Amino acid sequence: MTSVEVADAIEQGILSVDPKCQTRKLYIADGGDGTMEAIVNSLNGRTVVANVSNPVGRKIQARYGIVNSDTAVIDVATASGLALLSEEERNPLYTTSFGTGELILHAIAKNGIKKFILGIGGSATNDAATGLLSALGFVFRDCSGNSLTGCGANLEKIHSIDDSNINMLIRDCTFTILCDVDAEFYGSNGAARLFAAQKGANNEMIAQLDAGMSHFANVIRNHTGKSVQNQSYSGAAGGIGGALWALLGARLSPGIYELLKIIQFKDAIRGASLVITGEGAMNRISLLGKAPYGVCGEAAWYGVPTIAIVGSVADCEMLNEYGFLSVFPIQSGPIDITSAIAPATAEANIRRTVAQIFRLLMLKNNL
């Protein structure tokens, strides 16, 4: 469900119990799916459609936004996202971010864009942006000088980086990367160890990807003098964050905090009694920079409590300790994941859960 759909369902649940309750809906994202839409809607921008490659090379139509007439907003998930693939196609050894690079080139060639905001969450890849950068003209060579396709399986084979033939217009562009998690490039808290499993990797593949990320980090250091392992957010989106920081001079930023500034969140919650946010699954990883934690932290700064409505929850006590007043899963009983994520089912479950919460809140106010 989009932020718009979730906010509407929450509002309906509230108003079914207390029609006089005053609500205000804000549409957010943290650098993952929906970031482009949230920014474009907030700044009255427009969207552009381009034909690009999906993570397995299939041609698709993908959208990006243009705001302030000179800035493109791109969600990596639009062209290189996990949601674009079937279960059988999910394999981060071979999926590629090439299509996101094609979107960047389209924005430059067709619209003269020089400023880019990239939301990099929700990717299907662990290629450390080698696919994206290949689309821009970078060549990654093995020890024999042969060029390599940009994918996770080839990271450990890269011997050198050739940037002599990159699109010259790229050198004039600036990139702000909105990251949804602060993961390291490699290691126990690295991109592959934390997130490759949800992209289709088994334990053997995760070990191979992590070794490849470590190797590629050394190649980047030799080429640029920069240490991606020591850079915050470098492991976001399978290493896209760190690679773009090192090779394109991108600025990495926690996505949710950038977005909250754009939508003027602090002004919107002035005088509010309660903030409600949500996420599909919430656990300790949510505390690494996911949208709900950013919302909770900002709201707490202004003395407003936050509750979260989620599909599933773990580490509940830790979430409470880090600021959430309470966290409520919406499932009413055992259910398979396919049924749980069906929009109609999720919408009904959100409305029901929120209504039950507000019945309790009204009782408290009446006591």
Side-chain angles (χ1 to χ4, degrees):
M1 297 175 69
T2 66
S3 285
V4 174
E5 293 167 337
V6 172
D8 286 347
I10 291 173
E11 182 182 53
Q12 290 165 14
I14 294 170
L15 297 181
S16 70
V17 175
D18 184 3
K20 295 181 180 180
C21 185
Q22 296 179 357
T23 64
R24 180 169 183 181
K25 294 177 289 186
L26 302 172
Y27 309 124
I28 64 164
D30 56 12
D33 297 314
T35 297
M36 181 273 287
E37 182 181 25
I39 293 176
V40 168
N41 287 342
S42 297
L43 299 182
N44 297 314
R46 63 186 177 93
T47 58
V48 177
V49 177
N51 294 315
V52 298
S53 306
N54 81 348
V56 294
R58 189 166 54 246
K59 288 298 180 181
I60 60 170
Q61 287 192 325
R63 297 187 307 150
Y64 63 90
I66 295 179
V67 297
N68 302 328
S69 75
D70 66 349
T71 302
V73 186
I74 297 175
D75 283 352
V76 164
T78 300
S80 309
L82 196 60
L84 298 172
L85 304 179
S86 66
E87 292 285 344
E88 294 73 22
E89 292 175 318
R90 297 179 179 184
N91 185 336
L93 286 176
Y94 300 107
T95 49
T96 176
S97 58
F98 190 87
T100 299
E102 291 179 306
L103 282 180
I104 293 171
L105 287 181
H106 188 278
I108 293 172
K110 300 298 184 181
N111 292 289
I113 297 298
K114 292 186 177 181
K115 298 178 183 178
F116 289 87
I117 299 173
L118 268 63
I120 63 172
S123 75
T125 63
N126 201 122
D127 68 353
T130 52
L132 184 162
L133 292 165
S134 294
L136 302 183
F138 283 80
V139 180
F140 301 94
R141 301 189 185 280
D142 63 18
C143 58
S144 299
N146 301 310
S147 62
L148 296 165
T149 301
C151 65
N154 284 338
L155 292 175
E156 60 187 355
K157 302 175 185 177
I158 297 173
H159 181 263
S160 63
I161 301 170
D162 181 355
D163 57 7
S164 60
N165 294 313
I166 66 172
N167 188 307
M168 293 302 296
L169 296 176
I170 295 295
R171 300 186 187 276
D172 297 326
C173 295
T174 61
F175 295 87
T176 298
I177 312 299
L178 307 186
C179 308
D180 60 344
V181 290
D182 187 4
E184 295 177 351
F185 204 71
Y186 61 88
S188 59
N189 292 313
R193 298 287 181 187
L194 289 179
F195 300 111
Q198 69 188 40
K199 301 177 184 184
N202 58 30
N203 289 338
E204 182 179 348
M205 294 160 64
I206 290 171
Q208 181 181 349
L209 288 166
D210 189 57
M213 294 288 284
S214 177
H215 172 79
F216 186 49
N218 288 328
V219 175
I220 290 175
R221 184 195 289 270
N222 291 336
H223 185 77
T224 67
K226 296 179 179 180
S227 172
V228 291
Q229 182 66 358
N230 294 327
Q231 173 61 38
S232 297
Y233 303 101
S234 64
I240 287 178
L244 297 192
W245 167 76
L247 296 171
L248 291 181
R251 181 174 69 91
L252 306 186
S253 175
I256 182 58
Y257 298 111
E258 290 281 341
L259 193 71
L260 292 177
K261 291 177 185 177
I262 290 171
I263 66 174
Q264 299 180 318
F265 181 76
K266 66 178 182 180
D267 295 327
I269 65 170
R270 185 172 288 118
S273 301
L274 180 69
V275 168
I276 304 176
T277 186
E279 190 173 25
M282 186 176 285
N283 51 42
R284 65 182 61 211
I285 291 178
S286 302
L287 302 174
L288 296 178
K290 291 288 189 178
Y293 186 51
V295 168
C296 178
E298 287 290 296
W301 184 259
Y302 297 99
V304 185
T306 298
I307 66 174
I309 308 297
V310 300
S312 65
V313 61
D315 309 313
C316 212
E317 293 81 3
M318 180 179 289
L319 296 172
N320 294 149
E321 180 182 347
Y322 276 78
F324 289 94
L325 176 64
S326 51
V327 181
F328 295 91
I330 64 172
Q331 312 307 337
S332 58
I335 188 171
D336 63 88
I337 187 64
T338 301
S339 300
I341 66 174
T345 302
E347 181 182 1
N349 284 341
I350 291 170
R351 288 199 308 267
R352 173 187 49 75
T353 302
V354 171
Q356 294 303 308
I357 293 168
F358 269 75
R359 287 176 64 85
L360 186 61
L361 290 176
M362 289 186 69
L363 172 63
K364 179 180 182 299
N365 290 335
N366 290 333
L367 291 177

